[in-house]
């Protein structure tokens, strides 16, 4: 029992990364969870003491499970689109050869548009590309997952890379970049007390709404108008940082590094038209949050 508890604890250390792999492979939150759960079941039936690299072994297992699921699909991706909208950018946990900043930048550039393009790839191309290009898995480890040689796996990833680079709509990435610029400008102006700069990024009819938990922390329940909102934020936001919230650029208030409030923004034509503050602990735990350095 003690060994099983230790194995479960060890598995939990890799769960985030495994789910990120499965999510990018399958494009469905529910299916990704199923794949990770199946990986745990297989691990629990395996003598882990004989596994030299447990993280690598788990990645291989999840890859094979996802490959089987992709090959078995009889319906098109549109049937799964609703499942993945909320967390299509779930940030990957740090893996060997990467760091949190790289993972955040990856999440910023890999959006729903790219997920759609990935679906045009064959299962083997998709797996080779996702494992190698997104999670830095060497080709000699990718190869046995897809039943190919390392050279063949490299060719599959290269072919997938060319198709992704040639087809991925730039607009989605550009929109994220513009959104980040607006959010950063807002937070910087608020932090430094630059009232006119705040007005410049706020739509005249902007509205800010806060949930009950945020109100209890001192936020106003609802504020209308650029001038009123700029006055409210002027000199604030000292502990606010730009972050990805379910893959969309927003911000978090994180005093002493603990996320207390998530700020989501609606940006139209380069100006903020709405801000929503979420502080409810349960809702915060359901958000995939990646804070920019």
């Amino acid at each position: 029992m003690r060994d099983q508890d230790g194995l479960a604890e060890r598995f939990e250390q890799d769960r985030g990364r495994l789910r990120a792999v499965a999510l990018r492979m399958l494009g469905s939150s529910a299916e990704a969870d199923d794949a990770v759960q199946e990986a745990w079941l297989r691990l629990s039936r395996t003598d882990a003491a004989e596994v030299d690299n447990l993280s690598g072994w788990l990645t291989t297992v999840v890859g094979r499970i996802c490959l089987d699921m992709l090959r078995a699909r009889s319906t098109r991706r549109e049937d799964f689109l609703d499942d993945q909208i909320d967390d299509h950018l779930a940030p990957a946990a740090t893996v060997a050869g990467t760091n949190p900043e790289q993972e955040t930048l990856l999440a910023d550039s890999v959006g729903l548009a790219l997920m759609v393009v990935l679906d045009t790839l064959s299962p083997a191309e998709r797996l080779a590309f996702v494992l190698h290009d997104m999670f830095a898995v060497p080709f000699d480890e990718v190869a046995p997952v897809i039943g190919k040689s390392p050279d063949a796996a490299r060719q599959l990833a290269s072919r997938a890379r060319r198709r992704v680079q040639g087809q991925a709509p730039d607009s989605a990435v550009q929109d994220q970049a513009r959104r980040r610029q607006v959010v950063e400008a807002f937070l910087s102006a608020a932090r430094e007390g630059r009232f006119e700069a705040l007005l410049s990024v706020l739509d005249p009819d902007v509205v800010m709404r806060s949930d009950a938990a945020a109100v209890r922390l001192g936020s106003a329940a609802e504020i209308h108008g650029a001038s009123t909102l700029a006055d409210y934020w002027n000199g604030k936001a000292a502990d606010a940082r730009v972050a990805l919230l379910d893959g969309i650029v927003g911000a978090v208030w994180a005093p002493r590094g603990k996320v207390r409030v998530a700020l989501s923004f609606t940006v139209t034509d380069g100006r903020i038209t709405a801000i929503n503050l979420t502080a409810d602990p349960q809702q915060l735990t359901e958000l995939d949050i990646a804070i920019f350095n």
Side-chain angles (χ1 to χ4, degrees):
M1 182 66 177
R2 187 172 301 171
D3 290 344
Q4 193 74 359
D5 289 343
L7 192 61
E9 183 177 346
R10 177 64 183 80
F11 180 81
E12 288 303 316
Q13 296 174 12
D14 281 292
R15 179 183 290 275
R17 176 178 54 81
L18 297 174
R19 188 177 188 277
V21 171
L23 190 57
R24 282 165 173 77
M25 279 297 298
L26 301 169
S28 163
S29 178
E31 286 194 319
D33 289 336
D34 289 343
V36 173
Q37 181 61 25
E38 176 61 25
W40 160 247
L41 293 176
R42 295 189 187 186
L43 176 61
S44 65
R45 297 192 295 264
T46 301
D47 184 359
E50 298 182 357
V51 179
D52 293 331
N53 180 357
L54 189 58
S55 292
W57 184 90
L58 286 169
T59 300
T60 297
V61 169
V62 167
R64 286 174 176 161
I65 292 169
C66 291
L67 193 59
D68 290 342
M69 293 173 74
L70 284 175
R71 287 171 171 165
R73 276 186 181 170
S74 58
T75 54
R76 292 195 53 78
R77 179 178 176 78
E78 284 81 358
D79 296 330
F80 297 92
L81 203 54
D82 289 340
D83 288 337
Q84 65 121 0
I85 288 292
D86 288 339
D87 57 356
H88 63 274
L89 283 173
T94 302
V95 295
T98 64
N99 59 52
E101 182 178 3
Q102 290 173 327
E103 291 295 342
T104 301
L105 291 174
L106 174 67
D108 192 22
S109 63
V110 179
L112 181 58
L114 180 53
M115 291 296 295
V116 172
V117 175
L118 287 178
D119 197 46
T120 68
L121 306 177
S122 72
E125 287 174 334
R126 183 165 179 162
L127 184 60
F129 177 77
V130 168
L131 289 183
H132 181 267
D133 284 43
M134 294 186 178
F135 293 92
V137 178
F139 284 119
D140 58 355
E141 295 180 21
V142 174
V145 180
I146 57 178
K148 303 283 187 180
S149 68
D151 285 343
R154 184 178 291 105
Q155 291 175 1
L156 286 170
S158 178
R159 187 187 311 154
R161 193 179 306 118
R162 287 195 300 269
R163 292 180 64 184
V164 167
Q165 291 172 347
Q167 296 182 36
D170 291 334
S171 59
V173 175
Q174 292 172 355
D175 181 65
Q176 283 281 62
R178 287 192 294 266
R179 177 183 292 272
R180 182 175 178 180
Q181 289 176 346
V182 172
V183 172
E184 286 180 335
F186 170 80
L187 294 179
S188 176
R191 208 176 284 127
E192 297 168 10
R194 292 183 287 116
F195 184 81
E196 292 300 325
L198 275 170
L199 285 179
S200 71
V201 296
L202 295 173
D203 184 85
D205 298 319
V206 64
V207 59
M208 184 185 82
R209 297 183 177 89
S210 306
D211 68 5
V215 172
R216 288 194 294 271
L217 290 175
S219 174
E222 190 166 315
I223 296 177
H224 291 263
S227 180
T228 306
L229 191 58
D231 186 61
Y232 175 84
W233 279 99
N234 201 28
K236 295 184 179 180
D239 292 309
R241 299 171 64 186
V242 179
L244 289 174
L245 309 177
D246 282 343
I248 304 299
V249 175
V252 293
W253 180 58
R256 295 180 295 279
K258 179 178 175 60
V259 176
R260 302 290 301 279
V261 181
L263 294 80
S264 60
F265 296 81
T266 301
V267 178
T268 305
D269 295 330
R271 288 196 170 191
I272 297 170
T273 57
I275 305 175
N276 289 287
L277 276 59
T278 301
D280 179 83
Q282 179 59 40
Q283 292 189 42
L284 289 178
T285 61
E286 293 173 358
L287 282 174
D288 286 311
I289 298 175
I291 302 176
F292 288 99
N293 291 331

